[in-house]
Amino acid sequence: MVFKRILDIIISILGLVILSPVLVVVYILVRIKIGTPVFFSQKRPGKNEKIFYMYKFRSMTNEKDEMGRFLSDDKRLTRFGTFLRKTSIDELPELFNVLKGDMSLVGPRPLLVEYLPLYNEEQKERHNMKPGITGWAQVNGRNAIGWQEKFKLDVWYVRNWSLKLDFKIIGMTFKKVFNSEGISQSGHATVEKFTGND
């Protein structure tokens, strides 16, 4: 795990330096096209269910209905936001999370805090490692697969982790992003919420 952390630090620093022009341009475009705040931050559970704030570029507006509730994802997701998600550019600020040590480059994706009480004992194993920007579930279907399959892939990764597997996942991630595969779940602008195990 020491080598995994060293790899995280090196790649996240290089990524932030090399991609800094992209980060600046996207920051400006999000501010113009979607508004402020430019960054979307949300509490997510990390390793051992420790809560941290995950950062992304905003891809949705803050439009609400007359009751003060946010409109559905499909109504708030802009064309520019769709482009950010399709290219995974909205995920780039998570490199700061990796540098801080909240996340890793590779690991189970950090999901909503509200899901924590809904996991069974096996599914909880996904929190035995730091969450990642990409992961085994992401390169094997991403948002296009169901929750049960996604959790099984996450747990398999935790139980079978190796640096070789991480490099394989990173390579597969570039291919998935290039082909824009698994961006959203069928019938949803993003992904259906997890409501528990039947």
Side-chain angles (χ1 to χ4, degrees), residues 3-195:
F3 292 108
K4 183 177 176 68
R5 179 59 185 150
I6 292 173
L7 187 68
D8 283 342
I9 293 173
I10 293 173
I11 295 181
S12 59
I13 290 175
L14 287 174
L16 288 169
V17 171
I18 295 171
L19 296 171
S20 56
V22 176
L23 291 168
V24 171
V25 170
V26 175
Y27 180 94
I28 295 171
L29 289 175
V30 170
R31 188 180 178 90
I32 294 172
K33 293 179 176 291
I34 301 178
T36 57
V38 172
F39 295 107
F40 169 80
S41 66
Q42 189 176 54
K43 288 182 178 180
R44 297 290 175 96
K47 184 178 180 181
N48 299 321
E49 300 183 3
K50 181 181 178 181
I51 307 301
F52 70 96
Y53 278 97
M54 185 185 77
Y55 306 106
K56 300 172 70 172
F57 279 119
R58 273 183 63 198
S59 58
M60 296 185 186
T61 65
N62 285 329
E63 294 176 274
K64 297 179 180 179
D65 60 21
E66 61 276 2
M67 301 295 291
R69 297 171 298 194
F70 283 116
L71 298 179
S72 59
D73 289 353
D74 63 311
K75 289 184 173 63
R76 295 190 296 123
L77 186 61
T78 65
R79 288 180 63 184
F80 180 63
T82 301
F83 167 77
L84 293 180
R85 286 172 175 259
K86 186 176 181 180
T87 56
S88 294
I89 290 175
D90 64 319
E91 309 277 359
L92 292 181
E94 290 170 35
L95 288 171
F96 289 106
N97 287 119
V98 175
L99 192 58
K100 285 174 58 183
D102 296 325
M103 294 176 63
S104 178
L105 292 169
V106 182
R109 283 294 295 168
L111 303 175
L112 299 178
V113 174
E114 65 190 70
Y115 293 170
L116 288 176
L118 305 177
Y119 299 136
N120 60 35
E121 290 305 310
E122 180 180 287
Q123 292 164 352
K124 287 180 180 179
E125 289 186 43
R126 68 191 309 279
H127 293 291
N128 289 346
M129 291 186 73
K130 288 181 182 179
I133 294 179
T134 185
W136 191 232
Q138 276 58 54
V139 297
N140 283 284
R142 201 172 175 180
N143 288 332
I145 59 177
W147 284 111
Q148 298 302 325
E149 186 177 356
K150 191 178 297 185
F151 292 145
K152 287 183 182 299
L153 291 167
D154 285 341
V155 173
W156 183 91
Y157 169 80
V158 171
R159 293 175 177 176
N160 295 274
W161 173 81
S162 69
L163 280 177
K164 181 180 179 181
L165 178 59
D166 275 4
F167 282 117
K168 178 180 179 179
I169 292 172
I170 290 172
M172 292 174 69
T173 297
F174 283 110
K175 181 181 177 182
K176 290 287 182 179
V177 171
F178 182 78
N179 292 329
S180 301
E181 296 177 5
I183 305 299
S184 59
Q185 194 172 34
S186 178
H188 297 271
T190 52
V191 64
E192 183 181 17
K193 277 195 172 186
F194 176 57
T195 56

